[in-house]
Amino acid sequence: MERIICLLIGYVFGLFQTAYIYGKIHGIDIRNYGSGNAGTTNTMRVLGTKAGLIVLFGDIIKCILAIVITGFLFGKAHPDRIYLLKIYAAAGAILGHNFPFYLHFKGGKGIAATAGLILSFHPYFIPMGIILFFGAFFTTHYVSLGSLLVYAGFMIEIVVLGQTGIFGAMDQAHLIELYIVAAFLTVMAYYKHRENIGRLLKGEERKTYLTHKNKDTEEKKDA
């Protein structure tokens, strides 16, 4: 029952579609411009760096809030399983972001929300996430590559650290469940980025820069 509650808490927070809301405030549906994705990178390309950073912050915070509330509600009652419940809350937030029911389940790709997971799940995950994402981004300027590397690193790290006992008194059965949820999120991220992966392999992926406005106001139906 706790798992369902955590998923629902996360999903409700995930429904705060920052990119969509910000776009509407500025008179557009962000899903009709650029890549059609309701996320940070597309907002940055269409509406500018400032807009992208606002969307990034909003999407990070909603996942953090879901995890913090989960810890507050269940931390004392289930201290041995709290990390499992936290990742359920994060999964709910990412699902709400990716598949908001009121937008006909057409949302984003969940990377900024995943950043909220990494920042608030356990301090040990933060350095690796920062190194992988920004190392890839500032080297290649491919946001998608950095995002995919972060997920691969997160998946590996959660298993390695889990087996070393970093999650406290959690038993092996619940650890395996934790790994399964993490694997589900990883597979979903790679699936959502399947077109990006194809473009990366062909050398056709679009680069993103922070130093100037990535203007892209043309509608696209194929991305």
Side-chain angles (χ1 to χ4, degrees):
M1 185 63 183
E2 293 89 355
R3 294 169 177 79
I4 295 174
I5 293 173
C6 292
L7 276 170
L8 289 175
I9 289 172
Y11 189 80
V12 169
F13 275 100
L15 291 177
F16 187 84
Q17 251 297 340
T18 318
Y20 176 79
I21 294 169
Y22 189 92
K24 281 296 184 180
I25 291 173
H26 289 79
I28 67 169
D29 184 339
I30 193 68
R31 300 171 303 161
N32 292 331
Y33 293 83
S35 67
N37 184 59
T40 298
T41 304
N42 195 40
T43 302
M44 186 176 294
R45 290 171 177 169
V46 175
L47 295 173
T49 300
K50 179 182 176 181
L53 293 176
I54 290 172
V55 169
L56 173 66
F57 180 77
D59 288 345
I60 287 174
I61 287 297
K62 66 188 181 187
C63 190
I64 290 177
L65 289 175
I67 290 174
V68 169
I69 289 174
T70 295
F72 177 77
L73 291 177
F74 299 109
K76 290 184 179 180
H78 303 287
D80 58 324
R81 290 188 288 139
I82 191 58
Y83 286 102
L84 177 62
L85 296 177
K86 284 182 177 182
I87 203 169
Y88 271 106
I94 294 167
L95 286 168
H97 175 82
N98 290 356
F99 308 106
F101 73 89
Y102 67 98
L103 296 179
H104 306 291
F105 302 99
K106 184 183 177 183
K109 295 179 180 177
I111 299 303
T114 299
L117 163 61
I118 291 173
L119 290 171
S120 57
F121 189 65
H122 194 289
Y124 279 18
F125 289 88
I126 297 174
M128 183 63 73
I130 291 174
I131 291 169
L132 287 174
F133 181 80
F134 288 104
F137 176 71
F138 286 121
T139 301
T140 67
H141 293 285
Y142 293 139
V143 173
S144 56
L145 178 60
S147 302
L148 294 169
L149 288 176
V150 166
Y151 253 111
F154 176 71
M155 186 67 239
I156 294 169
E157 198 172 13
I158 203 168
V159 174
V160 172
L161 292 179
Q163 292 307 117
T164 62
I166 198 67
F167 300 126
M170 192 183 303
D171 59 43
Q172 189 64 32
H174 287 114
L175 279 173
I176 291 173
E177 186 178 351
L178 178 71
Y179 305 155
I180 290 172
V181 177
F184 166 76
L185 294 176
T186 303
V187 170
M188 181 169 64
Y190 274 72
Y191 175 77
K192 294 285 285 185
H193 283 81
R194 61 195 183 279
E195 294 178 353
N196 303 85
I197 293 171
R199 290 193 295 268
L200 284 168
L201 293 173
K202 296 176 182 177
E204 299 174 353
E205 179 71 324
R206 179 172 176 176
K207 296 185 177 183
T208 300
Y209 299 89
L210 298 177
T211 54
H212 59 80
K213 198 170 185 179
N214 296 281
K215 202 68 176 174
D216 190 354
T217 56
E218 304 251 343
E219 290 194 19
K220 290 184 181 179
K221 302 300 182 183
D222 58 346

